[in-house]
Amino acid sequence: MHIELDSDRLFTAIKTVAHAVVNSPTTPILENVLLRVTNEKMVVVANNLEMAIEYTIDSDIVVHDPGDITISFRFLASYLNLLDPTRLTIKTDTGHTLHLTANKNKMRHKGLSAEEFPMIPATRRDTRFVLSSDILRRAFSKTLFSCASGNIRPTLAGVYIQLHPDHVTFASTDSFRLSEYRYNCDTGVDKKIAIILPFRSANEIMKTLPEWIDVEIFFADNQILLVYENVLLYSRLLNGHFPDYANFFPKSTSVHALIDRSKLIQSLRQVSLIARENNFNVKMGLEKTGTVKLESGDTEIGTSEIEINAEVEWSDQVGLNATYFIDALQVIEGDDVRIGFETSL
């Protein structure tokens, strides 16, 4: 391999694929990035076996000799971060060593053969639809918090995405919390299609996507592929069936209150200083006098009781987990939040 390119272009590529790099003492090759050069371009790839990202550099690059190598992501990212933007020359030798020349500065680092790097399975582009990056990021930000963790119920450890002809929904649940985000649009499909995207992949996609661009999304063979700008992002999908959650959302509630959202979050955090001794269990009482009362109950370190002014339509009380409730309130938009619950809860 022998190429010349701008160092900042390579740094952009490295920062993009970084979201698919993992620390893996058992599989050190996953800590590397693949640099693959053809006659006209360089492709930078990271693959953690669950998700892979490819970034293509096809402009302002001079290819003298094609080739490929894998190199430590940590080394390459640190080197480029310390390098002022300049023209960079990259060469490899037969011993899998990468030679970097920037102006009069030279650096070399041992790499590994590209043959050891895990290949990305070819993805058929059977089902395609286009969605704005901002809608994708918004959808994940409002559902990731209620994904399950661990391997007890693997199908809950991700975001459930349903495509309908006229809308797309994103949902998640850990069996204690349930969230859904719906976006009305023409998806281009003629029947319902459902997948489960792993939590890690959805979280990294949310971090990776730039603002205000269209993203092409393809489903096939238990994989998802996102295409935007110079990037191809692959992820495996979770196998199994997501629970039919539609009936878990109540059609109506008998108790309602309109509360200032920021004050409610602040009050929950205050009462949690005591409620943490009782697994963050808090009792919420709605009073028709126009207040919402939060109580921690008696714990070994004390008690806490806070009242908030609110518009209350009916009096009642319910027990809840303060931490879970705060998570939900933080993804809701607007100054005020309307709360409703059934006494059977």
Side-chain angles (χ1 to χ4, degrees), residues 71-80 98 100 107-109:
I71 195 74
S72 164
F73 163 79
R74 181 174 297 180
F75 159 74
L76 193 54
S78 299
Y79 172 75
L80 293 170
L98 191 71
L100 302 162
M107 179 81 69
R108 63 178 183 171
H109 194 281

Side-chain angles (χ1 to χ4, degrees), residues 250-256 313 338-342 345:
K251 304 301 181 185
S252 62
T253 54
S254 60
V255 181
H256 306 278
E313 300 176 14
R338 180 172 293 278
I339 295 175
F341 60 81
E342 294 289 343
L345 298 178

Side-chain angles (χ1 to χ4, degrees), residues 255-261 263-268 270-271 282-296 304-320 325 329 337-341:
V255 181
H256 306 278
L258 188 65
I259 312 174
D260 183 284
R261 187 172 65 93
K263 288 183 180 179
L264 180 56
I265 292 174
Q266 183 181 25
S267 299
L268 284 165
Q270 290 176 19
V271 76
V282 172
K283 183 181 294 183
M284 172 185 281
L286 277 60
E287 308 290 340
K288 290 193 72 174
T289 54
T291 60
V292 172
K293 182 183 294 185
L294 301 174
E295 299 177 87
S296 66
S304 177
E305 181 179 310
I306 298 175
E307 292 189 359
I308 316 167
N309 293 329
E311 296 179 17
V312 181
E313 300 176 14
W314 193 260
S315 299
D316 215 322
Q317 63 181 15
V318 68
L320 53 88
F325 199 24
L329 290 169
V337 60
R338 180 172 293 278
I339 295 175
F341 60 81

Side-chain angles (χ1 to χ4, degrees), residues 239-258:
N239 292 317
H241 298 284
F242 198 82
D244 184 4
Y245 64 87
N247 293 328
F248 285 92
F249 287 111
K251 304 301 181 185
S252 62
T253 54
S254 60
V255 181
H256 306 278
L258 188 65

Side-chain angles (χ1 to χ4, degrees), residues 47-199:
N47 187 354
N48 61 31
L49 303 183
E50 179 177 279
M51 181 177 71
I53 304 176
E54 294 185 6
Y55 188 102
T56 299
I57 301 174
D58 55 6
S59 62
D60 296 324
I61 180 172
V62 177
V63 177
H64 299 287
D65 190 18
D68 51 33
I69 191 174
T70 74
I71 195 74
S72 164
F73 163 79
R74 181 174 297 180
F75 159 74
L76 193 54
S78 299
Y79 172 75
L80 293 170
N81 187 46
L82 295 171
L83 193 66
D84 292 332
T86 186
R87 197 66 175 170
L88 183 65
T89 300
I90 301 177
K91 295 181 181 180
T92 59
D93 59 29
T94 55
H96 303 304
T97 298
L98 191 71
H99 299 258
L100 302 162
T101 303
N103 297 322
K104 296 181 179 180
N105 302 322
K106 296 182 179 180
M107 179 81 69
R108 63 178 183 171
H109 194 281
K110 291 287 289 184
L112 294 172
S113 171
E115 295 178 359
E116 300 181 34
F117 198 78
M119 296 295 295
I120 301 173
T123 302
R124 299 200 322 270
R125 303 189 178 190
D126 296 346
T127 302
R128 172 190 180 272
F129 80 106
V130 179
L131 205 58
S132 164
S133 59
D134 288 71
I135 297 301
L136 270 175
R137 293 167 62 187
R138 177 191 291 261
F140 290 142
S141 71
K142 294 184 181 302
T143 51
L144 282 173
F145 76 94
S146 55
C147 288
S149 58
N151 298 319
I152 298 176
R153 297 189 64 182
T155 56
L156 301 186
V159 178
Y160 182 53
I161 303 175
Q162 297 180 79
L163 283 180
H164 300 265
D166 59 351
H167 70 276
V168 56
T169 60
F170 300 76
S172 66
T173 181
D174 57 6
S175 74
F176 295 99
R177 298 170 292 180
L178 171 63
S179 59
E180 181 189 70
Y181 177 83
R182 172 171 172 157
Y183 180 70
N184 295 325
C185 64
D186 180 6
T187 62
V189 303
D190 54 8
K191 62 180 180 179
K192 175 184 171 181
I193 299 174
I195 65 166
I196 306 175
L197 183 63
F199 171 88

